Amino acid sequence: MEGRMATNLAIDDVLLERARRIGNLRTKKETVTQALTEFIQRRRQREILKSLGTIEFRKGWDYKKDRRDRESSR
């Protein structure tokens, strides 16, 4: 963990307990940390998905041939 910050939060007890059980986690701290980690991952994925269709690929690029070439060079 990079840094720690003592924080007091008013979190819905029922929601926190449901998340703890679903995540099979032992503590509230683990639950909140896991929830924040997953939140960040989802937001990053959303940004990646937004970029789909905006990347220009080489015309005529044969991805299957490229894959075969990479696999045969192993």
Side-chain angles (χ1 to χ4, degrees), residues 16-28 31:
L16 186 59
E17 181 60 19
R18 285 178 58 200
R20 190 190 64 75
R21 286 183 183 176
I22 288 171
N24 197 30
L25 301 165
R26 293 180 298 127
T27 66
K28 291 178 180 181
T31 305

Side-chain angles (χ1 to χ4, degrees), residues 6-68:
T7 306
N8 292 323
L9 299 171
I11 299 175
D12 183 318
D13 288 332
V14 174
L15 188 63
L16 186 59
E17 181 60 19
R18 285 178 58 200
R20 190 190 64 75
R21 286 183 183 176
I22 288 171
N24 197 30
L25 301 165
R26 293 180 298 127
T27 66
K28 291 178 180 181
K29 179 181 175 182
E30 286 178 325
T31 305
V32 171
T33 300
Q34 182 66 33
L36 290 171
T37 300
E38 290 181 19
F39 176 81
I40 292 166
Q41 289 172 344
R42 277 194 309 276
R43 291 297 170 114
R44 286 182 176 163
Q45 289 170 352
R46 188 180 296 172
E47 290 301 313
I48 291 168
L49 289 174
K50 282 181 185 178
S51 71
L52 288 178
T54 63
I55 300 170
E56 294 185 30
F57 292 98
R58 297 184 312 247
K59 292 188 180 195
W61 177 52
D62 185 348
Y63 71 92
K64 289 182 181 180
K65 180 183 179 305
D66 189 50
R67 184 184 305 148
R68 283 191 304 270

